[in-house]
Amino acid sequence: MAEKLEPAKVLYCGVCSLPAEYCEFGPDFGRCKPWLVENAPDLYPDLLKEANEKAADNVSDKLQYVGISSGGADGAPSSSQSGGTSKKEEVKRLPGGKLKKKDRQEVIIEKVVRNKRKSITIVKGLELFGIKLSDASKKLGKKFATGASVVKGPTEKEQIDVQGDIIYDIVEFITDTWPDVPERSIFFIEDGKKVQAG
Amino acid sequence: MFKKFSLEEISSQNQVKASVQRRIRQSIQEEYPGLETVLEDLLPKKSPLIVVKCPNHLTLVVVNNVPLFFCIRDGPYMPTLRLLHQYPSIMKRFQVDRGAIKFVFSGANIMCPGLTSPGGVLDEEVEAERPVAIYAEGKQHALAIGFTKMSAKDIKSINKGIGVDNMHYLNDGLWKMERLD
């Protein structure tokens, strides 16, 4: 037990994130197929055969098109290559699309009550609109005449804490001061649920 | 357990103090002696350890924004599947037959017949109420982490009903939450 355990490397599917061998049970096996053919051909021998047949079909189509069998020999490799690149692009676009969704620009406003009648308003996500948090906190403090500070959240994310309950007109203030922030991307958190402002 | 799980489920997350960190580390070490040599890499003493609390008495242990362990109530800490895939030798293993895979993927508990059939393998030493890794016939990697309802011997002799509770399986909410930010 003296030597160190090495972390095992597991091949995860680039499309559905499962270990490649489980793709066939995943949510969308059809979409994983091109990725699997390229990256894990030995796991699914049937798939490879399928893909090869398809490629062969393409080649024979081309041959018929050209009509000259000797010219077909040059045409075959180029056609298979172009097929490969288009597949790659398709796969790459999918994770990109997912990433965009995750990074949605939202301002989230939350009220936390402390000492029964005192509260703190927490504003998260302003930085996603390219707003400097230190400037924003100063402006908020000035407008509402309270303390406002930039605080690091537990997972290294910065947020603004404003003393007092300012939920009633913070939305207007935000949309007025920073026109880049649309009203529909501001959310309140009420009873643990996200509610759209306005 | 994690069928539906997202960032919105988190009710609080705290950076815990050193003594709590030590306790967590110790209980993980007791549960998984095989991890001893890499524990320092997994839970570095220097970097902050964050404990995330979620509804249903669920706790996650998070280091550098990556969830590593979870536990329910005061139960044992269990590794997430991504961690288990890296260190597959740390847990006792059960194996289900091929027919069970698709049910496990939708979150079903592991029934005894799936473990006792020709495709299944039981580790006879496992007692009741222990965490186990669930493997599948013909597959290399674990597909779920379970909590035994009865001992392996009982599973074999009774051969009926739920043998292992499915805690965490591939493509559930916790799996999809690769990183917490």
Side-chain angles (χ1 to χ4, degrees), chain A residues 59-72:
Chain A
V59 171
S60 64
D61 279 0
K62 263 261 165 85
L63 277 178
Q64 279 176 356
Y65 230 70
V66 176
I68 311 162
S69 53
S70 61

Side-chain angles (χ1 to χ4, degrees), chain A residues 1-12 16-19 21-22 24-27 44 102 154-157 192 194, chain B residues 8 13 34 37-38 41 50 65 82 85-90 98 101-102 105 136 139-143 170-171 175 180-181:
Chain A
M1 214 55 257
E3 80 238 55
K4 217 162 160 177
L5 273 177
E6 278 297 319
K9 285 224 168 66
V10 182
L11 182 65
Y12 292 120
C16 62
S17 86
L18 296 178
E21 55 179 358
Y22 284 111
E24 53 180 320
F25 295 99
Y44 297 99
K102 246 189 210 165
T155 45
E156 304 277 303
K157 243 193 171 174
K194 236 165 148 185
Chain B
E8 276 152 41
Q13 43 183 326
T37 46
V38 283
D41 290 344
I50 291 169
N65 287 346
R82 275 180 217 275
H85 285 160
Q86 284 177 0
Y87 304 102
S89 58
I90 57 171
R98 205 179 149 82
I101 299 177
K102 81 170 186 238
F105 263 62
K139 303 284 180 192
Q140 188 189 349
H141 301 294
L143 82 163
L170 283 178
N171 230 6
W175 172 264
L180 277 167
D181 324 272

Side-chain angles (χ1 to χ4, degrees), chain B residues 138-154:
Chain B
K139 303 284 180 192
Q140 188 189 349
H141 301 294
L143 82 163
I145 284 172
F147 193 64
T148 52
K149 279 272 140 184
M150 30 178 146
S151 66
K153 286 190 184 106
D154 280 351

Side-chain angles (χ1 to χ4, degrees), chain B residues 123-130 132 148-153:
Chain B
D123 191 328
E124 297 261 343
E125 288 163 23
V126 179
E127 299 290 309
E129 319 241 302
R130 303 298 317 153
V132 284
T148 52
K149 279 272 140 184
M150 30 178 146
S151 66
K153 286 190 184 106

Side-chain angles (χ1 to χ4, degrees), chain A residues 107-112 122 124 167 186-196, chain B residues 8:
Chain A
V107 176
I108 292 168
I109 297 164
E110 195 178 355
K111 197 180 92 172
V112 179
I122 301 171
K124 290 179 194 162
I167 273 195
I186 301 176
F187 292 92
F188 288 134
I189 292 195
E190 280 170 11
D191 305 327
K193 272 183 197 156
K194 236 165 148 185
V195 181
Q196 191 154 19
Chain B
E8 276 152 41

Side-chain angles (χ1 to χ4, degrees), chain B residues 46-60:
Chain B
K46 289 277 159 55
S47 73
L49 190 140
I50 291 169
V51 168
V52 176
K53 292 214 165 117
C54 308
N56 300 328
H57 305 275
L58 169 71
T59 334
L60 300 179

Side-chain angles (χ1 to χ4, degrees), chain A residues 63-198:
Chain A
L63 277 178
Q64 279 176 356
Y65 230 70
V66 176
I68 311 162
S69 53
S70 61
D74 294 330
S78 75
S79 77
S80 63
Q81 232 171 22
S82 69
T85 47
S86 76
K87 259 179 206 164
K88 232 180 208 168
E89 269 173 13
E90 214 171 279
V91 173
K92 261 184 193 163
R93 212 183 311 134
L94 285 166
K98 251 186 196 167
L99 275 178
K100 237 183 195 175
K101 244 187 203 169
K102 246 189 210 165
D103 258 22
R104 228 176 342 181
Q105 292 185 318
E106 282 177 351
V107 176
I108 292 168
I109 297 164
E110 195 178 355
K111 197 180 92 172
V112 179
V113 179
R114 56 175 199 104
N115 288 354
K116 277 185 187 164
R117 57 194 190 80
K118 291 186 175 165
S119 46
I120 291 174
T121 309
I122 301 171
V123 183
K124 290 179 194 162
L126 273 179
E127 75 275 8
L128 298 176
F129 291 89
I131 297 166
K132 254 198 186 165
L133 288 188
S134 50
D135 288 355
S137 76
K138 219 166 220 174
K139 276 181 182 157
L140 282 167
K142 216 167 199 179
K143 159 83 177 166
F144 297 104
T146 55
S149 56
V150 181
V151 181
K152 254 198 183 161
T155 45
E156 304 277 303
K157 243 193 171 174
E158 293 194 321
Q159 58 189 35
I160 302 179
D161 282 11
V162 188
Q163 284 176 23
D165 180 6
I166 54 160
I167 273 195
Y168 52 94
D169 54 11
I170 189 168
V171 175
E172 205 179 317
F173 176 73
I174 289 176
T175 47
D176 282 356
T177 3
W178 299 285
D180 294 352
V181 186
E183 198 171 327
R184 63 189 150 71
S185 56
I186 301 176
F187 292 92
F188 288 134
I189 292 195
E190 280 170 11
D191 305 327
K193 272 183 197 156
K194 236 165 148 185
V195 181
Q196 191 154 19

